[in-house]
Amino acid sequence: MCQLASVYELVQSHRITAVIYTAAMLNLAEAIGGETKSVAELASLVSAEESALRRLLITLTTLGLCRQAEQGRFAMTDLGRQLDRAGDPSFKDWVIFEGEMLMQSWSGLLASVRTGKTAAQLRGDGDDRYAAAGNPPEWTRRFNAAMVSLTRSIVPKIIAAHDFSAARIVMDVGGGTGELIGGVLQHTPHLEGVVFDLARCEAEACAHFERLGIADRGRFVAGNFFEEIPRGADTILMKSILHNWKDDRCEVILRNCRDALPAGGTLIAIERIMPDAIAGPESLSCAMSDLNMLRGPGGRERTEAEYRKLAASAGFRLIGTADVGVFSLIQFRSGEN
């Protein structure tokens, strides 16, 4: 079992239960048996969508219930065989009992793995859980507060990992209430900063700038990054934005970023990077977040190579990456507009 470093990780333990429950309900242990099987074989055997099932299997691998064999095949470990009703011991029925109690709080994973659709799509609620009209004010308040607490914990690491001295104006696209740009401006007195997000975030962002004493250098611009991103900044920040969306939607965001930046401008994405090869428990946080994207907004966590390809499709070059806690700072450079 992986060592948990903080309350942030402990409070997400319910996701582990949801993952194991989903594996039990799909009869994965029985389908794999004592062999190794390809994802395509397993998808047919358990009636699941192949890409979504691969993501589940990767997460089960980080938990030690599966292991990845040659040529992308998977096998059950001794621990994983306890999900087989014929196993000795077998805890399958107990897993289902516990999982049924939990499903009300992390619902939709089983159906998402079967279909490849998000929980919202399965309910017929549309694709964008972030739309202004789609969520009550209390949900928006709690969401912003959660993002603030997570962002605040990594701002010092971002400052240490990237030299902002050459920048003049930095824009945080999808910057919410200004926690990230506020931290950057506090540590870099010559900078001007812009938060670009939906209008519902404006009042809190402006109040935050006042509290920090940077209202003369920080401002808010309302808009939608799928439509247009305002020009003027030489550096764009985006934290936990791209992982929310499928590739085609990310390409729209990235092209709008490219159009907003001058030639040679800098784009910094703060995202988790999925390892090319699953390395066990240390990959758990990223794999869990990937499944959360599957059942939630419909995005995914990506490898460095996938980010490189995605950026190239929108006219960016990947310059390099740096660790910033559980996230990575991914730096891109724009070409000619």
Side-chain angles (χ1 to χ4, degrees):
M1 186 63 180
C2 63
Q3 182 178 357
L4 295 172
S6 70
V7 168
Y8 167 71
E9 291 169 308
L10 281 170
V11 79
Q12 298 180 75
S13 298
H14 63 287
R15 299 183 182 185
I16 296 176
T17 303
V19 166
I20 298 172
Y21 167 80
T22 297
M25 291 296 291
L26 288 172
N27 299 315
L28 267 178
E30 291 89 343
I32 294 176
E35 308 171 15
T36 66
K37 286 190 170 69
S38 70
V39 181
E41 290 177 280
L42 287 171
S44 176
L45 288 169
V46 304
S47 300
E49 196 272 334
E50 186 174 338
S51 176
L53 181 61
R54 183 186 301 277
R55 294 161 74 174
L56 179 72
L57 287 163
I58 286 171
T59 304
L60 290 166
T61 299
T62 71
L63 292 170
L65 276 74
C66 289
R67 64 177 177 84
Q68 196 164 359
E70 70 288 343
Q71 298 177 330
R73 299 170 73 84
F74 288 85
M76 298 304 291
T77 63
D78 289 342
L79 183 64
R81 291 190 188 97
Q82 294 179 17
L83 293 177
D84 188 331
R85 191 165 274 120
D88 184 18
S90 172
F91 294 105
K92 181 171 185 173
D93 289 322
W94 182 259
V95 165
I96 293 173
F97 169 71
E98 289 284 352
E100 293 290 352
M101 290 195 293
L102 178 72
M103 282 302 96
Q104 295 303 311
S105 61
W106 212 42
S107 62
L109 183 59
L110 176 60
S112 290
V113 172
R114 287 197 186 280
T115 65
K117 295 181 179 180
T118 69
Q121 289 171 330
L122 290 164
R123 291 193 304 268
D125 293 343
D127 293 337
D128 185 1
R129 73 172 181 177
Y130 301 102
N135 300 296
E138 182 62 16
W139 184 95
T140 300
R141 189 194 68 77
R142 289 187 181 278
F143 176 79
N144 285 338
M147 292 301 102
V148 163
S149 65
L150 185 54
T151 299
R152 186 175 294 159
S153 70
I154 64 169
V155 166
K157 296 182 176 68
I158 293 171
I159 299 297
H162 182 77
D163 182 5
F164 286 93
S165 62
R168 293 185 308 104
I169 302 175
V170 179
M171 179 185 298
D172 188 1
V173 170
T177 58
E179 186 66 30
L180 176 54
I181 199 69
V184 171
L185 293 185
Q186 278 189 302
H187 286 83
T188 320
H190 77 277
L191 278 182
E192 295 180 34
V194 179
V195 172
F196 179 70
D197 209 322
L198 299 174
R200 67 189 182 197
C201 299
E202 182 170 5
E204 286 191 58
C206 292
H208 183 60
F209 292 157
E210 290 285 353
R211 286 192 299 271
L212 295 181
I214 57 170
D216 59 327
R217 294 189 291 127
R219 59 192 175 91
F220 186 96
V221 176
N224 184 327
F225 52 50
F226 286 118
E227 297 173 1
E228 184 181 31
I229 294 172
R231 294 173 180 260
D234 50 72
T235 301
I236 286 178
L237 293 174
M238 286 196 300
K239 178 190 169 293
S240 299
I241 300 296
L242 297 177
H243 79 152
N244 288 311
W245 307 100
K246 294 180 180 179
D247 286 358
D248 58 341
R249 299 289 271 167
C250 285
E251 288 173 10
V252 173
I253 299 169
L254 289 169
R255 282 197 298 270
N256 286 341
C257 286
R258 181 204 60 202
D259 292 344
L261 285 168
T266 298
L267 168 64
I268 298 169
I270 312 297
E271 297 282 357
R272 290 176 170 86
I273 293 182
M274 182 71 82
D276 292 313
I278 295 303
E282 55 267 42
S283 304
L284 177 60
S285 176
C286 196
M288 282 292 184
S289 183
D290 184 54
L291 284 183
N292 195 42
M293 294 303 103
L294 169 66
R295 60 157 296 282
R300 66 185 311 118
E301 304 300 345
R302 295 174 173 88
T303 65
E304 183 175 324
E306 287 171 331
Y307 274 116
R308 188 183 302 275
K309 180 179 179 182
L310 194 61
S313 71
F316 283 100
R317 291 182 295 114
L318 192 153
I319 302 300
T321 66
D323 290 337
V324 285
V326 297
F327 295 92
S328 292
L329 184 152
I330 313 168
Q331 182 177 339
F332 304 97
R333 188 70 43 77
S334 70
E336 295 290 338
N337 282 355

